[in-house]
Each structure stands twice: as structure tokens, then as C-alpha cells.
Amino acid sequence: MLISRMLLARIFLTGAILTEVAGTSSMAMIPEDAAGWLNYLPMWALITLSYLLLAQAAKTISIGIAFALWEGLGIALITIVSVLFLDYDLNAQELSGLALAIVGIVMVTMGETGDEPERRRVTRNSKEAVCTR
């Protein structure tokens, strides 16, 4: 195999984060006086793609790690997009919260072992306990 499963999962997770940021950021670009659901179609498409990519990543990366990275890095990147392109100003409390979120993401990621999640194997010869009450 040319690409390892973990590398492919990380590519899927990166794609999930970037499409979530693009979809969420596109909400700010919808005109206030716009009527009709077609204006929301790009947002829905990007967020749907983000969830599909996250689901693919979660097949290899544990769901807790994948979701923490997806949500945490998504928040950080959306904040950066808001500051750079949407003229949003951060106050000290917001900066502190964002810094704590990034520290948390780094700590969670460093705790990842890279082991594949254990899958329960059921054999034909194994019998399940039967409740007799």
C-alpha cells in the first residue's frame, strides 16, 4: 500500500476541518436580504462533505481524538478567518480562550498512541450469557 491508513485518515481529517471552516465561513457571505434556500446550498454542501470526511477519518483515528481535532482546530481557523477577512476584533478573554483551546488540542493529540481502535471479534463458538430472570 502506498499510503498508510493513518496518513490517509489524517488527510481525511484535514479535509473535514477545512471544509467545515469553509462551510461555516460561507454563512457570513450570505446577503442579509437574500431569500431562498439556494443561497444556503454551498454551506450545506461543504458541511455535509465535512461530516463525510470526518466519518472516514474516524474509521482509523479514535472518534474522541478526531472530533476534538475537528472541532477545536475548526474553531481556531474560523476565528482566524473572521479576524483576517470579516473584520472581527478579539478581546483578551477571547484570545485567552482560544489559546486554552489550542493547548487542549495539542495535549489531546500528544496523548494519541496511534494504535488502531480495538474491534470486538465474535466467533461462532463463543456463546453469550443468557439472562434467566
Side-chain angles (χ1 to χ4, degrees):
M1 181 190 279
L2 295 174
I3 298 177
S4 72
R5 288 184 66 203
M6 187 57 82
L7 177 61
L8 188 59
R10 289 180 178 152
I11 291 169
F12 282 135
L13 184 57
T14 301
I17 292 166
L18 294 176
T19 53
E20 187 242 349
V21 169
T24 304
S25 299
S26 72
M27 284 189 243
M29 294 180 221
I30 299 171
E32 291 181 21
D33 58 347
W37 61 273
L38 283 176
N39 293 312
Y40 294 94
L41 196 57
M43 176 198 66
W44 290 335
L46 287 166
I47 291 176
T48 300
L49 180 59
S50 175
Y51 275 100
L52 292 172
L53 291 169
L54 178 63
Q56 288 299 314
K59 289 181 180 181
T60 302
I61 301 171
S62 78
I63 190 67
I65 301 293
F67 189 76
L69 288 169
W70 179 75
E71 191 66 34
L73 290 176
I75 289 170
L77 290 174
I78 289 168
T79 303
I80 291 169
V81 167
S82 297
V83 168
L84 294 178
F85 301 109
L86 302 174
D87 297 325
Y88 185 77
D89 292 323
L90 294 176
N91 61 32
Q93 182 178 350
E94 292 167 329
L95 279 171
S96 299
L98 191 57
L100 287 172
I102 291 170
V103 167
I105 293 165
V106 169
M107 291 178 71
V108 166
T109 304
M110 288 176 64
E112 181 182 17
T113 61
D115 296 335
E116 291 186 27
E118 290 185 31
R119 301 186 192 275
R120 184 176 171 203
R121 294 184 184 192
V122 178
T123 61
R124 289 185 177 182
N125 295 336
S126 64
K127 296 181 181 179
E128 294 183 23
V130 178
C131 182
T132 58
R133 291 185 185 185

